[in-house]
Amino acid sequence: MHRLSGPLPGPHVAVTALMHGNEYAGAIVLADLLRQGFVPRRGTLSLIFLNLSAFARFSPQNPIMSRFVDEDMNRLWDTDSATSVPRSSERARVRQLLPYISTVDRLLDLHSMLWPADPLILAGPSEKGVSLAESIGTPSLIVVDDGHRAGPRLIDLQHFSHPESAAQACLLEAGQHWTWASLRTTQQSVRRFLSISETEKEIQKSDALLKVADVTHRITAHTGHFTFTELFPSGALIPHRGTLIARDGHDEIRTPYDNCLLVMPNFRAARHHTAVRLARIRPAKAV
């Protein structure tokens, strides 16, 4: 964890990478900032490498293995999860970081995706997250959701999601793991995130044409035999209500409305894991 302080007063902002040890585009961007000697003009910038123990296990021969050591770190971000048994490498790290992260005013959490997909920003459950994502302005798709059944993500932390807190957070899904395109997207999003924190004014929204989608259904696999009818990319728009998109054992999964957006389909969904999120796009607007 690196804490960089500027000469002028300002917010405490943070960029986090390596929540999952095999998603290292964000770590490259943070390491580049450190090598360049970047110092914020205002306030404090924290660059945090979250799960170095998982990253230390990375091997090109089995790149999926290093996602975590004991359990998914991005399902543990509340006090109960961090302190409960069984104890794990990830719970110990969350417990270590929680007090510090609770001092952050704005946070961008950097991720990538296993399957080919266009990039997006997950704004979490609050409009505060949407406002921050709109200010960053890239990528152009912003998804509003309430996370996973398995547990809370970093952006779901009460410090960021509670309506009485001014703190904001969002999560970048930069595209497919280990691609140059994902690295470039991460660089652009981090650059924009840092630039909006360098001004004394209130956060200014990007002038890009953005698309905001509200998740209405979180589809969780109830069996070990969840299969999609085809390899839908994340961001696929299914035009007709009632379209069959997957089967979960004997159950059919169909779209609940016209123009249904599929968010991050998981083609290896284990039982009780999120298989896909279904979202409705808000009317487009220039912001």
Side-chain angles (χ1 to χ4, degrees):
M1 182 170 68
H2 301 262
R3 182 183 175 95
L4 312 172
S5 296
L8 299 175
H12 180 190
V13 302
V15 186
T16 53
L18 291 180
M19 179 78 75
H20 300 124
N22 61 340
E23 300 177 18
Y24 54 73
I28 292 172
V29 174
L30 267 56
D32 284 345
L33 288 171
L34 292 171
R35 278 192 289 266
Q36 294 160 11
F38 179 85
V39 176
R41 191 165 62 91
R42 299 183 182 279
T44 299
L45 170 63
S46 292
L47 305 178
I48 306 174
F49 299 87
L50 292 166
N51 198 346
L52 289 167
S53 295
F55 179 63
R57 296 157 54 100
F58 182 81
S59 167
Q61 283 70 46
N62 190 357
I64 306 301
M65 182 185 70
S66 59
R67 179 174 170 85
F68 53 78
V69 176
D70 298 311
E71 57 184 324
D72 192 333
M73 188 186 223
N74 213 23
R75 305 292 182 268
L76 302 174
W77 290 94
D78 61 25
T79 304
D80 292 341
S81 295
T83 58
S84 64
V85 294
R87 300 192 183 278
S88 70
S89 172
E90 280 76 19
R91 288 174 197 257
R93 181 65 168 152
V94 169
R95 189 163 58 248
Q96 181 185 49
L97 290 171
L98 265 174
Y100 187 80
I101 286 179
S102 295
T103 70
V104 171
D105 299 307
R106 290 197 290 273
L107 180 140
L108 177 61
D109 188 24
L110 304 176
H111 290 253
S112 54
M113 296 178 266
L114 178 60
W115 309 103
D118 291 334
L120 57 87
I121 292 186
L122 293 173
S126 74
E127 288 301 311
K128 295 186 300 173
V130 175
S131 176
L132 178 58
E134 288 178 336
S135 301
I136 295 170
T138 181
S140 60
L141 175 59
I142 300 166
V143 176
V144 186
D145 75 322
D146 59 358
H148 300 274
R149 176 183 174 184
R153 303 162 299 186
L154 175 54
I155 63 171
D156 301 322
L157 195 64
Q158 281 286 296
H159 175 67
F160 298 116
S161 62
H162 196 283
E164 294 183 5
S165 168
Q168 300 168 285
C170 57
L171 185 160
L172 172 69
E173 292 284 3
Q176 191 175 22
H177 299 334
W178 321 312
T179 63
W180 287 109
S182 292
L183 178 59
R184 287 192 294 270
T185 296
T186 304
Q187 291 168 331
Q188 292 166 1
S189 298
V190 170
R191 187 179 304 120
R192 176 62 186 169
F193 176 74
L194 295 178
S195 72
I196 64 175
S197 299
E198 290 290 278
T199 176
E200 288 181 316
K201 301 176 182 178
E202 290 188 12
I203 298 176
Q204 300 296 309
K205 293 181 178 179
S206 164
D207 58 2
L209 187 63
L210 304 178
K211 185 163 58 178
V212 181
D214 296 286
V215 170
T216 59
H217 297 71
R218 181 182 61 205
I219 307 300
T220 301
H222 296 293
T223 73
H225 304 284
F226 193 104
T227 56
F228 288 91
T229 57
E230 60 182 270
L231 294 177
F232 296 105
S234 180
L237 196 66
I238 309 302
H240 302 300
R241 175 183 178 180
T243 301
L244 179 67
I245 59 170
R247 291 183 175 85
D248 189 2
H250 297 296
D251 295 333
E252 295 184 340
I253 311 299
R254 295 180 178 272
T255 51
Y257 40 78
D258 291 345
N259 297 320
C260 181
L261 185 76
L262 306 189
V263 179
M264 297 175 64
N266 180 1
F267 301 104
R268 297 175 59 182
R271 190 179 179 192
H272 303 315
H273 287 200
T274 301
V276 66
R277 284 161 275 197
L278 310 181
R280 194 192 303 270
I281 300 172
R282 297 180 186 178
K285 62 177 181 179
V287 297

